Short mmCIF file of all heavy atoms in Angstrom, two decimals:
data_model
loop_
_atom_site.label_atom_id
_atom_site.label_comp_id
_atom_site.label_asym_id
_atom_site.label_seq_id
_atom_site.Cartn_x
_atom_site.Cartn_y
_atom_site.Cartn_z
N SER K 1 0.85 -1.19 0.00
CA SER K 1 0.00 0.00 0.00
C SER K 1 0.89 1.25 0.00
O SER K 1 1.89 1.31 0.72
CB SER K 1 -0.90 0.00 1.23
OG SER K 1 -1.62 1.21 1.32
N PRO K 2 0.55 2.27 -0.80
CA PRO K 2 1.38 3.49 -0.84
C PRO K 2 1.56 4.16 0.52
O PRO K 2 2.60 4.75 0.78
CB PRO K 2 0.62 4.39 -1.82
CG PRO K 2 -0.15 3.44 -2.70
CD PRO K 2 -0.52 2.30 -1.80
N GLU K 3 0.56 4.06 1.40
CA GLU K 3 0.68 4.71 2.70
C GLU K 3 1.73 4.05 3.57
O GLU K 3 2.28 4.69 4.48
CB GLU K 3 -0.67 4.71 3.42
CG GLU K 3 -1.19 3.33 3.78
CD GLU K 3 -2.52 3.38 4.50
OE1 GLU K 3 -2.86 4.46 5.03
OE2 GLU K 3 -3.22 2.36 4.53
N TYR K 4 2.05 2.77 3.32
CA TYR K 4 3.10 2.10 4.08
C TYR K 4 4.49 2.41 3.53
O TYR K 4 5.49 2.22 4.23
CB TYR K 4 2.88 0.58 4.06
CG TYR K 4 1.63 0.14 4.78
CD1 TYR K 4 0.96 -1.03 4.43
CD2 TYR K 4 1.11 0.90 5.82
CE1 TYR K 4 -0.17 -1.44 5.09
CE2 TYR K 4 -0.03 0.50 6.49
CZ TYR K 4 -0.68 -0.66 6.12
OH TYR K 4 -1.81 -1.06 6.78
N VAL K 5 4.56 2.88 2.29
CA VAL K 5 5.85 3.21 1.68
C VAL K 5 6.27 4.63 2.02
O VAL K 5 7.46 4.95 2.12
CB VAL K 5 5.77 3.03 0.14
CG1 VAL K 5 7.06 3.47 -0.53
CG2 VAL K 5 5.45 1.58 -0.21
N ARG K 6 5.30 5.51 2.24
CA ARG K 6 5.57 6.94 2.43
C ARG K 6 6.61 7.23 3.52
O ARG K 6 7.46 8.12 3.34
CB ARG K 6 4.26 7.66 2.71
CG ARG K 6 4.34 9.19 2.58
CD ARG K 6 2.98 9.82 2.71
NE ARG K 6 2.07 9.35 1.68
CZ ARG K 6 0.95 8.69 1.92
NH1 ARG K 6 0.60 8.42 3.16
NH2 ARG K 6 0.17 8.31 0.94
N PRO K 7 6.61 6.55 4.67
CA PRO K 7 7.61 6.88 5.70
C PRO K 7 9.06 6.64 5.28
O PRO K 7 9.98 7.17 5.91
CB PRO K 7 7.23 5.96 6.87
CG PRO K 7 5.80 5.64 6.66
CD PRO K 7 5.63 5.57 5.18
N TYR K 8 9.29 5.86 4.23
CA TYR K 8 10.65 5.54 3.82
C TYR K 8 11.18 6.49 2.74
O TYR K 8 12.31 6.34 2.30
CB TYR K 8 10.70 4.10 3.30
CG TYR K 8 10.35 3.08 4.36
CD1 TYR K 8 9.04 2.61 4.49
CD2 TYR K 8 11.31 2.60 5.24
CE1 TYR K 8 8.70 1.70 5.46
CE2 TYR K 8 10.98 1.67 6.23
CZ TYR K 8 9.68 1.23 6.32
OH TYR K 8 9.36 0.33 7.30
N VAL K 9 10.36 7.45 2.32
CA VAL K 9 10.79 8.42 1.31
C VAL K 9 11.64 9.49 1.99
O VAL K 9 11.21 10.12 2.96
CB VAL K 9 9.59 9.06 0.60
CG1 VAL K 9 10.06 10.08 -0.44
CG2 VAL K 9 8.74 7.99 -0.07
N LYS K 10 12.84 9.71 1.46
CA LYS K 10 13.73 10.71 2.04
C LYS K 10 13.33 12.11 1.58
O LYS K 10 12.41 12.27 0.78
CB LYS K 10 15.18 10.41 1.64
CG LYS K 10 15.69 9.07 2.16
CD LYS K 10 17.11 8.86 1.75
CE LYS K 10 17.66 7.55 2.33
NZ LYS K 10 16.98 6.38 1.80
N ALA K 11 14.04 13.12 2.07
CA ALA K 11 13.74 14.51 1.72
C ALA K 11 13.94 14.74 0.22
O ALA K 11 14.60 13.97 -0.46
CB ALA K 11 14.64 15.45 2.52
N HIS K 12 13.36 15.84 -0.28
CA HIS K 12 13.42 16.19 -1.70
C HIS K 12 12.85 15.05 -2.56
O HIS K 12 13.52 14.46 -3.40
CB HIS K 12 14.85 16.50 -2.13
CG HIS K 12 15.50 17.55 -1.29
ND1 HIS K 12 15.06 18.85 -1.23
CD2 HIS K 12 16.56 17.47 -0.44
CE1 HIS K 12 15.82 19.54 -0.39
NE2 HIS K 12 16.73 18.73 0.11
N LYS K 13 11.60 14.76 -2.29
CA LYS K 13 10.92 13.65 -2.94
C LYS K 13 10.94 13.79 -4.46
O LYS K 13 10.64 14.84 -5.01
CB LYS K 13 9.48 13.60 -2.44
CG LYS K 13 8.56 12.66 -3.19
CD LYS K 13 7.17 12.71 -2.59
CE LYS K 13 6.13 12.09 -3.51
NZ LYS K 13 6.39 10.69 -3.81
N ASN K 14 11.27 12.70 -5.15
CA ASN K 14 11.17 12.60 -6.61
C ASN K 14 10.96 11.14 -6.97
O ASN K 14 10.90 10.27 -6.09
CB ASN K 14 12.40 13.19 -7.30
CG ASN K 14 13.71 12.58 -6.80
OD1 ASN K 14 13.81 11.36 -6.64
ND2 ASN K 14 14.70 13.42 -6.53
N ASP K 15 10.85 10.84 -8.25
CA ASP K 15 10.55 9.47 -8.68
C ASP K 15 11.66 8.50 -8.30
O ASP K 15 11.39 7.35 -7.93
CB ASP K 15 10.31 9.44 -10.19
CG ASP K 15 9.03 10.16 -10.59
OD1 ASP K 15 8.19 10.40 -9.69
OD2 ASP K 15 8.86 10.48 -11.78
N ASP K 16 12.92 8.93 -8.42
CA ASP K 16 14.03 8.04 -8.06
C ASP K 16 14.04 7.71 -6.58
O ASP K 16 14.28 6.56 -6.19
CB ASP K 16 15.36 8.69 -8.45
CG ASP K 16 15.55 8.79 -9.96
OD1 ASP K 16 14.91 7.98 -10.66
OD2 ASP K 16 16.29 9.66 -10.42
N ARG K 17 13.76 8.71 -5.74
CA ARG K 17 13.70 8.45 -4.30
C ARG K 17 12.49 7.59 -3.94
O ARG K 17 12.55 6.81 -2.99
CB ARG K 17 13.67 9.77 -3.54
CG ARG K 17 14.98 10.56 -3.64
CD ARG K 17 14.95 11.77 -2.72
NE ARG K 17 16.15 12.57 -2.89
CZ ARG K 17 17.29 12.36 -2.26
NH1 ARG K 17 17.38 11.33 -1.42
NH2 ARG K 17 18.33 13.14 -2.45
N ASP K 18 11.40 7.75 -4.70
CA ASP K 18 10.23 6.89 -4.47
C ASP K 18 10.57 5.43 -4.76
O ASP K 18 10.19 4.53 -4.01
CB ASP K 18 9.08 7.34 -5.36
CG ASP K 18 8.44 8.62 -4.86
OD1 ASP K 18 8.72 9.01 -3.71
OD2 ASP K 18 7.67 9.24 -5.62
N ALA K 19 11.28 5.18 -5.87
CA ALA K 19 11.67 3.81 -6.21
C ALA K 19 12.60 3.23 -5.14
O ALA K 19 12.47 2.05 -4.76
CB ALA K 19 12.35 3.79 -7.58
N GLU K 20 13.52 4.06 -4.64
CA GLU K 20 14.41 3.60 -3.57
C GLU K 20 13.63 3.29 -2.31
O GLU K 20 13.89 2.29 -1.61
CB GLU K 20 15.46 4.68 -3.30
CG GLU K 20 16.46 4.32 -2.22
CD GLU K 20 17.43 5.46 -1.95
OE1 GLU K 20 17.57 6.35 -2.82
OE2 GLU K 20 18.04 5.45 -0.87
N ALA K 21 12.64 4.13 -1.97
CA ALA K 21 11.82 3.90 -0.77
C ALA K 21 11.00 2.62 -0.91
O ALA K 21 10.82 1.88 0.07
CB ALA K 21 10.91 5.10 -0.53
N ILE K 22 10.49 2.35 -2.10
CA ILE K 22 9.71 1.13 -2.32
C ILE K 22 10.58 -0.10 -2.10
O ILE K 22 10.16 -1.08 -1.46
CB ILE K 22 9.11 1.15 -3.74
CG1 ILE K 22 8.03 2.22 -3.85
CG2 ILE K 22 8.54 -0.22 -4.11
CD1 ILE K 22 7.57 2.49 -5.27
N ALA K 23 11.80 -0.06 -2.64
CA ALA K 23 12.71 -1.19 -2.45
C ALA K 23 13.07 -1.38 -0.98
O ALA K 23 13.13 -2.51 -0.48
CB ALA K 23 13.98 -0.97 -3.29
N GLU K 24 13.31 -0.27 -0.27
CA GLU K 24 13.67 -0.37 1.14
C GLU K 24 12.50 -0.87 1.97
O GLU K 24 12.67 -1.69 2.89
CB GLU K 24 14.13 0.99 1.66
CG GLU K 24 14.58 0.98 3.10
CD GLU K 24 15.09 2.33 3.58
OE1 GLU K 24 15.27 3.22 2.73
OE2 GLU K 24 15.29 2.48 4.79
N ALA K 25 11.28 -0.39 1.68
CA ALA K 25 10.10 -0.82 2.45
C ALA K 25 9.86 -2.32 2.29
O ALA K 25 9.39 -2.98 3.22
CB ALA K 25 8.88 -0.03 2.00
N ALA K 26 10.17 -2.87 1.12
CA ALA K 26 9.93 -4.29 0.87
C ALA K 26 10.84 -5.18 1.71
O ALA K 26 10.56 -6.39 1.85
CB ALA K 26 10.12 -4.60 -0.61
N THR K 27 11.91 -4.63 2.25
CA THR K 27 12.83 -5.44 3.06
C THR K 27 12.42 -5.53 4.52
O THR K 27 12.99 -6.32 5.26
CB THR K 27 14.25 -4.84 3.00
OG1 THR K 27 14.23 -3.52 3.61
CG2 THR K 27 14.72 -4.70 1.56
N ARG K 28 11.45 -4.72 4.94
CA ARG K 28 11.07 -4.69 6.35
C ARG K 28 10.31 -5.96 6.73
O ARG K 28 9.37 -6.37 6.02
CB ARG K 28 10.21 -3.46 6.68
CG ARG K 28 10.78 -2.14 6.19
CD ARG K 28 12.25 -2.00 6.49
NE ARG K 28 12.53 -2.12 7.92
CZ ARG K 28 13.74 -2.35 8.42
NH1 ARG K 28 14.76 -2.52 7.62
NH2 ARG K 28 13.90 -2.42 9.72
N PRO K 29 10.68 -6.62 7.84
CA PRO K 29 10.03 -7.88 8.20
C PRO K 29 8.57 -7.73 8.62
O PRO K 29 7.81 -8.71 8.57
CB PRO K 29 10.89 -8.40 9.36
CG PRO K 29 11.55 -7.18 9.93
CD PRO K 29 11.77 -6.26 8.76
N THR K 30 8.17 -6.53 9.05
CA THR K 30 6.79 -6.33 9.50
C THR K 30 5.90 -5.72 8.42
O THR K 30 4.75 -5.38 8.70
CB THR K 30 6.77 -5.42 10.73
OG1 THR K 30 7.39 -4.16 10.42
CG2 THR K 30 7.51 -6.06 11.90
N MET K 31 6.42 -5.56 7.22
CA MET K 31 5.64 -4.94 6.14
C MET K 31 4.48 -5.86 5.73
O MET K 31 4.62 -7.08 5.68
CB MET K 31 6.54 -4.65 4.95
CG MET K 31 5.83 -4.00 3.77
SD MET K 31 5.01 -2.46 4.18
CE MET K 31 6.41 -1.44 4.65
N ARG K 32 3.35 -5.23 5.43
CA ARG K 32 2.18 -5.97 4.94
C ARG K 32 2.12 -5.86 3.43
O ARG K 32 2.21 -4.76 2.88
CB ARG K 32 0.89 -5.39 5.54
CG ARG K 32 0.81 -5.51 7.05
CD ARG K 32 -0.47 -4.88 7.57
NE ARG K 32 -0.57 -4.95 9.02
CZ ARG K 32 -1.57 -4.44 9.73
NH1 ARG K 32 -2.55 -3.80 9.10
NH2 ARG K 32 -1.59 -4.55 11.04
N PHE K 33 1.97 -6.99 2.78
CA PHE K 33 1.98 -7.03 1.33
C PHE K 33 0.59 -7.35 0.79
O PHE K 33 -0.23 -8.00 1.45
CB PHE K 33 2.98 -8.06 0.83
CG PHE K 33 4.39 -7.77 1.25
CD1 PHE K 33 5.01 -8.55 2.22
CD2 PHE K 33 5.09 -6.71 0.72
CE1 PHE K 33 6.31 -8.29 2.63
CE2 PHE K 33 6.38 -6.42 1.12
CZ PHE K 33 6.99 -7.22 2.07
N VAL K 34 0.33 -6.89 -0.42
CA VAL K 34 -0.95 -7.10 -1.10
C VAL K 34 -0.79 -8.29 -2.05
O VAL K 34 0.18 -8.34 -2.82
CB VAL K 34 -1.36 -5.84 -1.89
CG1 VAL K 34 -2.67 -6.08 -2.64
CG2 VAL K 34 -1.49 -4.65 -0.94
N GLU K 35 -1.74 -9.22 -1.98
CA GLU K 35 -1.70 -10.36 -2.89
C GLU K 35 -2.02 -9.91 -4.32
O GLU K 35 -2.87 -9.04 -4.54
CB GLU K 35 -2.71 -11.42 -2.45
CG GLU K 35 -2.41 -12.05 -1.10
CD GLU K 35 -1.17 -12.92 -1.13
OE1 GLU K 35 -0.82 -13.39 -2.24
OE2 GLU K 35 -0.55 -13.11 -0.08
N ILE K 36 -1.35 -10.52 -5.28
CA ILE K 36 -1.59 -10.20 -6.69
C ILE K 36 -2.95 -10.76 -7.10
O ILE K 36 -3.24 -11.94 -6.88
CB ILE K 36 -0.48 -10.78 -7.58
CG1 ILE K 36 0.86 -10.14 -7.22
CG2 ILE K 36 -0.79 -10.55 -9.06
CD1 ILE K 36 2.03 -10.69 -8.00
N LYS K 37 -3.78 -9.93 -7.69
CA LYS K 37 -5.10 -10.35 -8.12
C LYS K 37 -5.03 -11.08 -9.46
O LYS K 37 -4.21 -10.74 -10.33
CB LYS K 37 -6.04 -9.15 -8.25
CG LYS K 37 -6.46 -8.55 -6.92
CD LYS K 37 -7.45 -7.43 -7.14
CE LYS K 37 -8.02 -6.93 -5.82
NZ LYS K 37 -6.99 -6.42 -4.92
N SER K 38 -5.89 -12.06 -9.63
CA SER K 38 -5.97 -12.78 -10.89
C SER K 38 -6.74 -11.95 -11.91
O SER K 38 -7.37 -10.94 -11.59
CB SER K 38 -6.65 -14.13 -10.69
OG SER K 38 -8.01 -13.94 -10.30
#
């Protein structure tokens, strides 16, 4: 969910920092993931 990724975005937000935040958020052991829909 985008709201769970937002805390990992560093200052001066841009698309590259968003991609980095998404990758970092995926490594967290307590992160909740969305199942892929058929």
Side-chain angles (χ1 to χ4, degrees):
S1 174
E3 65 179 341
Y4 294 152
V5 176
R6 195 173 299 119
Y8 297 94
V9 179
K10 297 181 177 65
H12 306 296
K13 170 180 165 60
N14 54 44
D15 292 344
D16 291 336
R17 292 187 184 275
D18 286 346
E20 181 183 341
I22 291 169
E24 183 178 349
T27 64
R28 310 315 302 164
T30 58
M31 180 57 63
R32 297 178 181 178
F33 299 108
V34 178
E35 295 291 336
I36 298 178
K37 288 184 173 60
S38 65

